Amino acid sequence: MRFVIAGAGAIGTAMGGYLARAGFPAILIARPSHAAAIRERGLILNTAKGEFRPPVTARTSLLDVQWRPDDMVF
C-alpha cells in the first residue's frame, strides 16, 4: 500500500514521514516551495527521540501522481 498525503503542511508532512519510516511508500502533495525543498534536501523530521530522514516523494499536484490500485489518499 502506498500513501498519498494531499495537503502536506506541518501535520501531513509529519504523517507521511512517519508512514515512510514504518516502511510504507509515501508521496507528499505540497506547496511548490515546500515540495522543492523536500526534493532538494530530503525530508528531515526532528523529534523528541532525535532526527530522522524518511524516504518520501514530493509533488505539487495530484495530477503528477501515477496512480496505482493500492494507493490510499489522506
Side-chain angles (χ1 to χ4, degrees):
M1 180 180 312
R2 180 174 71 170
F3 290 91
V4 179
I5 311 300
I11 293 172
T13 298
M15 188 169 70
Y18 276 102
L19 286 165
R21 184 181 190 190
F24 295 100
I27 299 175
L28 306 178
I29 308 299
R31 295 181 323 273
S33 60
H34 188 65
I38 293 170
R39 284 193 299 266
E40 291 169 13
R41 296 185 291 273
L43 178 61
I44 303 167
L45 293 177
N46 292 304
T47 73
K49 293 184 178 184
E51 178 182 291
F52 67 96
R53 294 173 177 255
V56 298
T57 301
R59 300 280 185 261
T60 58
S61 171
L62 290 169
L63 298 174
D64 296 333
V65 176
Q66 293 182 346
W67 295 98
R68 303 186 328 200
D70 67 336
D71 285 340
M72 173 68 70
V73 180
F74 281 102

